[in-house]
Amino acid sequence: MLEMINVDVTLDGDSGDNGQVQVLKNINLTLENKKIYVMTGPNGGGKSSIAKAIMGIYHPTKGKILLDGKDITDKGISERAQLGVGYAFQQPPRFKGLKVKELLKLAAGSNDVNQCDLLYDVGLCAQDYLERDINSSFSGGELKRIEIASILARNLKIAVFDEPEAGIDLWSFQRLSETFENMNEKYDTTIVIISHQERILRLADQVILVANGEISEITSKQKILKDIERLDSECLCKEDCNRGGRVNVECSR
Ligand SMILES: Nc1ncnc2c1ncn2[C@@H]1O[C@H](COP(=O)(O)OP(=O)(O)O)[C@@H](O)[C@H]1O
Ligand SMILES: [Mg+2]
């Protein structure tokens, strides 16, 4: 179980007091073992920052992070990785100079994994990819799926996937959703998926809504799915435009 208790994160940025920007405010979150959480909310709301705080990329300026009751607030990325915490970036790095099979081998370490299965689980055909060098010939969606496969290979305690749907085709998306669905059983992992997709929201044991650097609500998927239906029928963005004085802006919904 991972707990974030009253976590604030302030970073050096271009705006705010003394050039600092507070990206997270008083985050309280408990991630229970083997559950699926979907984190959603507007762009710039703080979802990736929560993921980075979990991974030890951003460090709390206030509050604590506990893993199975142990304080890991001051632990860095590699220590957290060793403890079984992993993060698939919204924009993954390119791991230059590695073949796909080498990356998966490195990720798996001593875990006994079948590389073909891993690639199939993310919607990639193994024989087309295993021998390929990871370089700029990969599309964003391919790169994301290879990174996700490397996270699956690690057999983690807690895995965070940041907008895994970005840049992938419908068939692969379907396969990936099924993989997340099966992951608890197959890999025994607590999963956090940052996503805006209804198909992913349907997998959630709980949905975490993040906006303005705060968790605004932790709720059920049923409630969120109802809200989505409501948003489809009423045009809330038009209301927002009108309130902002931009009365002539057409609603895009
Ligand atoms: N390293 C950083 N430096 C400055 N500002 C940042 C940094 N990381 C995130 N932010 C700011 O924090 C806010 C939340 O960003 P992010 O967590 O990426 O949102 P989301 O993933 O929900 O779209 C944004 O306003 C973003 O500009
Ligand atoms: Mg993000």
Side-chain angles (χ1 to χ4, degrees):
M1 180 164 91
L2 185 132
E3 293 161 276
M4 296 177 81
I5 304 167
N6 301 329
V7 169
D8 283 0
V9 172
T10 298
L11 300 168
D12 295 330
D14 317 324
S15 58
D17 294 335
N18 309 319
Q20 292 195 314
V21 49
Q22 185 171 10
V23 296
L24 295 179
K25 294 170 213 157
N26 199 34
I27 300 294
N28 283 289
L29 181 63
T30 301
L31 303 175
E32 285 172 28
N33 292 347
K34 300 186 201 177
K35 290 216 161 142
I36 300 184
Y37 298 87
V38 176
M39 214 190 296
T40 195
N43 289 331
K47 303 177 295 297
S48 295
S49 299
I50 292 179
K52 287 175 187 171
I54 291 173
M55 194 62 237
I57 300 168
Y58 290 171
H59 282 282
T61 33
K62 210 192 92 203
K64 274 193 218 168
I65 302 180
L66 308 180
L67 182 65
D68 296 332
K70 282 195 205 118
D71 193 334
I72 59 162
T73 316
D74 297 325
K75 296 211 185 295
I77 304 169
S78 29
E79 278 172 290
R80 291 197 203 186
Q82 275 165 11
L83 292 170
V85 183
Y87 173 47
F89 284 83
Q90 189 167 356
Q91 274 142 358
R94 283 189 186 263
F95 316 104
K96 278 199 183 111
L98 282 181
K99 284 187 194 304
V100 171
K101 65 176 186 186
E102 290 164 344
L103 175 73
L104 295 178
K105 188 157 181 266
L106 269 178
S110 59
N111 294 332
D112 183 21
V113 296
N114 180 322
Q115 297 196 340
C116 294
D117 286 352
L118 284 175
L119 289 178
Y120 176 75
D121 281 346
V122 297
L124 294 173
C125 184
Q127 65 257 40
D128 295 343
Y129 286 92
L130 282 175
E131 299 293 334
R132 269 178 72 181
D133 290 319
I134 305 173
N135 56 30
S136 52
S137 69
F138 281 83
S139 73
E142 286 174 320
L143 216 54
K144 272 194 90 88
R145 280 179 283 159
I146 286 161
E147 201 203 16
I148 292 167
S150 76
I151 295 281
L152 298 177
R154 287 171 55 195
N155 199 358
L156 292 164
K157 190 177 278 189
I158 297 174
V160 185
F161 299 96
D162 202 340
E163 303 199 19
E165 66 264 20
I168 77 169
D169 58 89
L170 218 56
W171 184 84
S172 304
F173 178 59
Q174 177 71 17
R175 185 73 211 100
L176 197 59
S177 318
E178 284 164 16
T179 297
F180 289 135
E181 207 167 359
N182 298 332
M183 203 174 158
N184 298 58
E185 286 158 40
K186 205 164 164 186
Y187 304 94
D188 237 9
T189 303
T190 300
I191 307 170
V192 181
I193 313 171
I194 298 174
S195 176
H196 307 291
Q197 290 292 322
E198 198 174 322
R199 175 84 174 77
I200 299 283
L201 280 166
R202 289 187 189 281
L203 305 178
D205 291 307
Q206 278 194 311
V207 178
I208 304 158
L209 282 174
V210 181
N212 301 317
E214 294 175 290
I215 293 181
S216 53
E217 207 177 341
I218 298 179
T219 185
S220 68
K221 62 183 160 196
Q222 287 80 4
K223 172 155 187 311
I224 294 293
L225 293 168
K226 259 205 182 122
D227 286 353
I228 290 173
E229 262 175 42
R230 191 172 57 85
L231 274 171
D232 277 345
S233 56
E234 300 169 17
C235 185
L236 289 187
C237 73
K238 188 169 173 187
E239 239 174 65
D240 283 349
C241 282
N242 290 341
R243 236 183 277 126
R246 297 180 298 254
V247 286
N248 295 323
V249 178
E250 267 195 29
C251 181
S252 58
R253 275 182 194 282

